[in-house]
Amino acid sequence: MYETIHYAKEEMLRRFQKREARVKPFINIINNRWDGQLYRNLYATAFWLNPRCQYDANIIDKHISTISRLLDIFKKHAHENLPLQSKITSEMKLLRNAEHDFGRAFAINNHTLMPEGL
């Protein structure tokens, strides 16, 4: 959902670049809904953990701020348990680098097969 919202806005602006005033009210509606309801750490976390987004540099590089939001979620749910926080961040590195279990052939093959909405 995270990437889809951004893509929809970009596509609307691209298609109506000569008539931006016509599309501006719709962009404002999307932004208001996004800011009020959807721009949450949980959505950023789901985006970052989605292999389809994680391993597509064109996508993940545009949304680098999701790492901060992901860490906020982990910190909140780790309840100041420093060993657990350390374990989580080391697992993030394994995921990002497709190492250990994340580097298995079936996991790598599914990088592009996962739906964007997961």
Side-chain angles (χ1 to χ4, degrees):
M1 180 169 213
Y2 200 87
E3 175 62 15
T4 304
I5 294 291
H6 288 283
Y7 175 78
K9 288 180 3 181
E10 288 173 2
E11 189 65 18
M12 288 171 70
L13 290 171
R14 185 186 69 76
R15 289 183 185 204
F16 291 94
Q17 57 185 296
K18 293 183 181 180
R19 298 171 291 184
E20 191 172 325
R22 286 182 127 177
V23 77
K24 189 71 171 156
F26 298 102
I27 296 293
N28 290 339
I29 290 169
I30 291 170
N31 287 337
N32 288 336
R33 294 280 188 201
W34 180 253
D35 292 342
Q37 297 174 355
L38 300 173
Y39 189 66
R40 304 277 190 251
N41 287 350
L42 188 59
Y43 287 107
T45 300
F47 167 81
W48 197 89
L49 293 172
N50 183 334
R52 183 171 185 161
C53 301
Q54 181 62 232
Y55 298 108
D56 186 331
N58 293 325
I59 295 174
I60 201 71
D61 289 347
K62 286 193 292 187
H63 304 289
I64 199 73
S65 66
T66 58
I67 293 171
S68 176
R69 300 175 73 76
L70 172 76
L71 292 173
D72 289 344
I73 286 283
F74 289 156
K75 182 179 178 186
K76 177 182 177 182
H77 294 285
H79 303 292
E80 303 302 322
N81 180 334
L82 296 180
L84 179 57
Q85 289 176 5
S86 177
K87 177 73 171 158
I88 290 169
T89 54
S90 68
E91 291 286 328
M92 286 173 57
K93 182 179 176 185
L94 295 177
L95 172 64
R96 184 71 186 119
N97 295 331
E99 297 173 350
H100 297 285
D101 286 337
F102 298 113
R104 290 182 181 190
F106 80 88
I108 291 173
N109 290 338
N110 284 306
H111 289 177
T112 58
L113 300 177
M114 293 287 289
E116 287 182 36
L118 291 180

